[in-house]
Amino acid sequence: AGSASGAMAVLGRRRLILISTSLLKLCSRRETDAVVAHELAHFVQCRRVLVFFSAATLAAILLSAAVVEQRRQAWAVLAVIVCILINSAWKRRLEFAADEFSARLTGDPESMGAALLKLSSANQTPFSGSALREMFLSHPWTEKRLRRLAVRRDVAESSDGGAGYDAGPAERAVNRPLA
């Protein structure tokens, strides 16, 4: 079995981007730059902590209700499922926004797409699947991410320079000025 290929932003006192040696061997310099730009977006997004605390608060509220109603098991299971779904949905939105940030920062959405394809293949992750299964994933299907990057590329190449493109709320949050 081979090692996983990827990169990860680590938040804390020191902000780090961890890059696997297998990613460096697998991807070109431009693709690696795109992946690093994607990870930089997670520093800009710093909302992961807020998402965690929001999910934890929701779980606490639901579990408190369970104690009051003395139906601990059913409420506890529901609380866990709801928290997982909310957290996963928000993480997927942040991943889309980080892809957009990478494309904007590098000006090279094709390299981000190429890196996604290579990493998906190397890590043997499914390219696409059902919406139900995706609800429990932290990252969107690779196919969806590639489609969004293609739209980004097409918009950038359009005659109006993308003036008509309306980013979603997660993308707008990441697309604020870098300075």
Side-chain angles (χ1 to χ4, degrees):
S3 63
S5 296
M8 180 173 65
V10 179
L11 299 171
R13 268 191 237 170
R14 300 171 80 195
R15 294 180 177 197
L16 305 169
I17 295 177
L18 305 177
I19 303 169
S20 69
T21 53
S22 53
L23 179 143
L24 294 173
K25 291 175 186 173
L26 182 68
C27 293
S28 71
R29 173 64 188 255
R30 287 177 47 204
E31 293 161 353
T32 301
D33 287 348
V35 171
V36 169
H38 170 97
E39 296 305 324
L40 283 172
H42 293 307
F43 293 142
V44 174
Q45 294 169 335
C46 285
R47 292 176 299 235
R48 286 195 218 185
V49 174
L50 177 62
V51 171
F52 172 78
F53 285 116
S54 298
T57 301
L58 179 60
I61 291 168
L62 291 174
L63 289 173
S64 297
V67 169
V68 170
E69 295 190 23
Q70 296 183 3
R71 294 182 188 158
R72 291 185 188 124
Q73 291 179 335
W75 278 100
V77 169
L78 177 63
V80 169
I81 291 171
V82 167
C83 290
I84 289 170
L85 293 174
I86 290 170
N87 196 32
S88 296
W90 188 250
K91 284 181 179 181
R92 287 190 307 277
R93 290 185 73 166
L94 293 177
E95 289 301 320
F96 280 131
D99 290 346
E100 172 69 21
F101 181 91
S102 172
R104 201 183 92 213
L105 183 64
T106 64
D108 192 3
E110 292 85 4
S111 289
M112 185 65 212
L116 284 171
L117 278 172
K118 288 180 180 179
L119 293 170
S120 179
S121 177
N123 293 323
Q124 299 177 345
T125 55
F127 183 72
S128 63
S130 72
L132 179 62
R133 185 167 172 213
E134 185 182 35
M135 288 174 63
F136 293 91
L137 300 177
S138 64
H139 288 64
W141 295 117
T142 303
E143 176 186 33
K144 285 185 176 181
R145 295 172 76 181
L146 292 174
R147 242 187 283 127
R148 284 201 180 193
L149 286 168
V151 167
R152 166 81 173 143
R153 183 194 66 235
D154 293 344
V155 166
E157 293 173 353
S158 70
S159 59
D160 67 353
Y165 177 68
D166 181 33
E171 292 174 66
R172 283 193 293 274
V174 171
N175 288 337
R176 65 181 185 259
L178 297 174

